[in-house]
Amino acid sequence: MKAGNKCLLFHHIVLSVIVLCHGQNLFFNDNGNLILPGSYNIPWMASIQNFRTLSLITIPGTHDSLALHGGPLAKCQAFSLKNQLRAGIRFLDLKVFELGDTLYVMHGVMYQRTTLKEVLDTVRAFLSEYNTEAVLIRVRSESFEKDMVNRMVQSLIGNDQHVWVNSGMPTMGQVRGKIVFLQKSTFTLGIPLIETNGKGSSKVTDVENKDKTIIKQLSQAIEACGGDNAVMTYTSGTGFGTFWGMFLTPRRVAEKVNPWLNQYLRQFYPNQPRPCFGVIAMDFPGFDLIQTVINLNSW
């Protein structure tokens, strides 16, 4: 076995022991329970300077943010939307399907028991209470008429001044209390989004190789941060659709990747300034992993 592989294997063993000793909710959460420390400050963006460009902030997010239903192959999260926001998540990844005059939140063919309107209402209520924050949203269309999704989202927004749909990169001060849409592919509202994910990076047959892929992606993110685009890395993955990884559900991948990711990111804490990674979108993140991502914002 190569030295690099031995090192990754050792890290996985050590982190597995930590999780067993202290409980899996540190970096990975699959039960949905959220207990916030008494000293925890929900509006963490309040400490970011108003002049800071949004593309220079490291932001914790979730992949398929509302994939809470549909069994082990479909489920990617345990925290409800409200709990994700309270825990510090500030990027939401939503797939929608248009039927009639409603945009339903989906994961593949699985309806996630909510609509985009209900999601936006929940986020608006959160931002009304914590108006120092901003919540970034990516909308991915699962509909056949993808242009219709743009029109329907625009209709939901109306003339709401607390929604950012411009393509220009704002500062933190410009988007406090606002929903910030990210545009990519056929969805054309908001800030342009770049993904660091290479082709096929969501397919996992071996967790150690997934770790190596994430390292490469986060290195790309460091280089791309601070520009005119939002930068995002998905750390999620599944073995579904592969032979060797057929038993690697999103939950099983996250159970291994999340503790490793936490340790990998913490190695940058001594750096001054700490690097920017843009949006890091995760499956089943535990509260402590979310805080590790937030705490990378130290200048």
Side-chain angles (χ1 to χ4, degrees):
M1 183 181 292
K2 294 181 180 179
N5 289 341
K6 287 181 179 178
C7 187
L8 282 171
L9 179 60
F10 175 75
H11 284 165
H12 277 304
I13 293 171
V14 171
L15 289 168
S16 294
V17 172
I18 291 172
V19 170
L20 285 172
C21 291
H22 296 282
Q24 61 181 200
N25 290 354
L26 287 171
F27 317 119
F28 165 84
N29 186 297
D30 66 346
N31 60 34
N33 296 330
L34 177 65
I35 300 174
L36 297 177
S39 60
Y40 178 60
N41 187 33
I42 291 176
W44 63 266
M45 285 181 155
S47 64
I48 297 175
Q49 304 97 321
N50 281 334
F51 64 80
R52 184 70 56 182
T53 304
L54 198 61
S55 60
L56 279 172
I57 302 170
T58 300
I59 297 174
T62 45
H63 156 257
D64 271 311
S65 301
L66 293 181
L68 300 164
H69 311 284
L73 293 179
K75 189 174 181 181
C76 297
Q77 306 300 331
F79 286 144
S80 67
L81 175 55
K82 288 181 180 179
N83 277 349
Q84 287 185 38
L85 295 171
R86 291 172 65 233
I89 294 296
R90 296 293 180 269
F91 165 84
L92 302 175
D93 177 41
L94 305 173
K95 292 176 182 172
V96 300
F97 184 83
E98 168 262 327
L99 186 63
D101 59 355
T102 303
L103 289 172
Y104 296 93
V105 178
M106 308 291 291
H107 185 202
V109 298
M110 303 303 300
Y111 172 50
Q112 296 304 313
R113 307 180 191 178
T114 191
T115 65
L116 183 60
K117 181 182 184 303
E118 290 168 341
V119 171
L120 295 180
D121 287 346
T122 298
V123 175
R124 283 183 173 117
F126 174 81
L127 292 172
S128 177
E129 184 175 359
Y130 300 104
N131 61 12
T132 59
E133 308 304 284
V135 176
L136 284 61
I137 296 181
R138 178 187 187 183
V139 175
R140 293 194 272 174
S141 174
E142 300 278 62
S143 299
F144 299 109
E145 294 187 31
K146 297 185 185 297
D147 290 342
M148 178 65 74
V149 171
N150 282 283
R151 293 193 290 271
M152 293 178 73
V153 172
Q154 187 66 70
S155 177
L156 284 174
I157 296 168
N159 295 318
D160 190 343
Q161 298 303 304
H162 292 92
V163 179
W164 184 275
V165 292
N166 299 332
S167 60
M169 180 60 64
T171 62
M172 187 68 232
Q174 289 176 298
V175 293
R176 291 198 191 278
K178 295 182 180 181
I179 293 170
V180 180
F181 279 105
L182 303 178
Q183 63 163 291
K184 187 171 177 63
S185 187
T186 59
F187 188 75
T188 57
L189 301 175
I191 303 167
L193 174 67
I194 295 174
E195 287 182 54
T196 61
N197 291 33
K199 184 178 180 181
S201 61
S202 64
K203 296 295 182 183
V204 180
T205 56
D206 181 272
V207 175
E208 288 182 20
N209 287 333
K210 177 64 176 176
D211 295 346
K212 294 175 184 177
T213 299
I214 292 172
I215 290 172
K216 292 178 182 178
Q217 292 170 266
L218 292 176
S219 296
Q220 294 171 19
I222 292 174
E223 295 297 321
C225 274
D228 295 330
N229 304 285
V231 181
M232 181 192 60
T233 297
Y234 285 120
T235 66
S236 53
T238 177
F240 182 65
T242 70
F243 178 77
W244 295 110
M246 66 176 71
F247 299 112
L248 286 172
T249 62
R251 177 193 176 279
R252 288 191 172 184
V253 173
E255 192 172 17
K256 297 292 186 182
V257 166
N258 289 7
W260 169 85
L261 178 64
N262 184 78
Q263 186 185 52
Y264 178 77
L265 293 175
R266 288 184 69 87
Q267 74 176 329
F268 294 96
Y269 276 17
N271 294 25
Q272 292 298 329
R274 294 172 184 172
C276 168
F277 292 99
V279 174
I280 302 178
M282 304 165 281
D283 279 352
F284 297 101
F287 176 77
D288 282 19
L289 176 56
I290 295 169
Q291 302 317 300
T292 292
V293 176
I294 290 171
N295 290 331
L296 286 163
N297 294 294
S298 176
W299 298 281

